[in-house]
């Protein structure tokens, strides 16, 4: 997922730095995968905090736990998603590696037949199927 997000961010910046927040295994994997591409950098340091740089108003300051700091013009983040509540597991729905529902085109059907219809029937303002 990090490579995908970095590729999308590369349309907005000449150099993209991927921060793994202390995950050295992920950093090593990304360095190996992106070794032939000069546009990407990988930083494995653990992040202590994010803040706006008071000197450079349009810069996000990244403070690392080792005391070092770095500035970036913008950050892109893709958090792991998860469903709140047990109903997805109770229904036996499948998930993608990023935690989203696994759906199949063209109608975004889930791995359990009729679940989208079941969900739609209980949405306010939707007509019930006859």
């Amino acid at each position: 997922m990090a490579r995908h997000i970095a590729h999308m961010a590369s349309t907005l910046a000449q150099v993209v730095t991927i921060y793994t927040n202390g995950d050295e295994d992920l950093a090593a994997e990304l360095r190996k995968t992106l070794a032939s591409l000069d546009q990407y950098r990988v930083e494995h340091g653990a992040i202590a905090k994010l803040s706006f740089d008071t000197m450079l108003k349009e810069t996000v300051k990244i403070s690392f736990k080792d005391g070092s700091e770095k500035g970036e013009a913008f950050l892109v983040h893709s958090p792991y998603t998860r469903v709140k509540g047990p109903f997805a597991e109770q229904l036996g729905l499948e998930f993608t590696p990023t935690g989203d529902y696994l759906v199949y085109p063209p109608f975004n059907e889930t791995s359990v037949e009729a679940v989208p219809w079941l969900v739609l029937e209980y949405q306010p303002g939707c007509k019930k199927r006859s």
Side-chain angles (χ1 to χ4, degrees):
M1 180 57 103
R3 290 185 305 249
H4 176 71
I5 299 299
H7 177 70
M8 290 192 312
S10 71
T11 63
L12 303 171
Q14 292 179 343
V15 176
V16 175
T17 304
I18 303 169
Y19 295 94
T20 64
N21 195 25
D23 189 337
E24 294 185 27
D25 294 335
L26 177 59
E29 177 188 331
L30 289 168
R31 281 188 187 105
K32 182 177 155 186
T33 305
L34 302 171
S36 64
L37 303 170
D38 293 334
Q39 185 176 14
Y40 300 100
R41 308 282 183 270
V42 179
E43 173 64 55
H44 72 275
I47 298 171
K49 72 176 183 173
L50 302 173
S51 58
F52 283 107
D53 192 322
T54 55
M55 301 296 270
L56 303 168
K57 300 279 186 213
E58 297 178 7
T59 302
V60 178
K61 182 168 62 173
I62 303 167
S63 301
F64 296 96
K65 289 185 179 176
D66 67 2
S68 62
E69 296 178 340
K70 186 169 181 186
E72 297 288 356
F74 69 95
L75 298 178
V76 177
H77 179 58
S78 179
Y80 180 79
T81 57
R82 61 186 158 95
V83 177
K84 192 173 187 176
F87 75 91
E89 287 84 13
Q90 291 170 348
L91 290 171
L93 295 174
E94 294 179 35
F95 296 93
T96 66
T98 57
D100 299 314
Y101 294 112
L102 180 62
V103 294
Y104 302 97
F107 302 111
N108 287 338
E109 297 174 284
T110 65
S111 56
V112 177
E113 192 173 324
V115 167
W117 292 108
L118 177 69
V119 172
L120 285 174
E121 284 183 351
Y122 293 98
Q123 295 295 318
C126 289
K127 282 184 163 179
K128 291 193 176 225
R129 290 186 304 148
S130 47

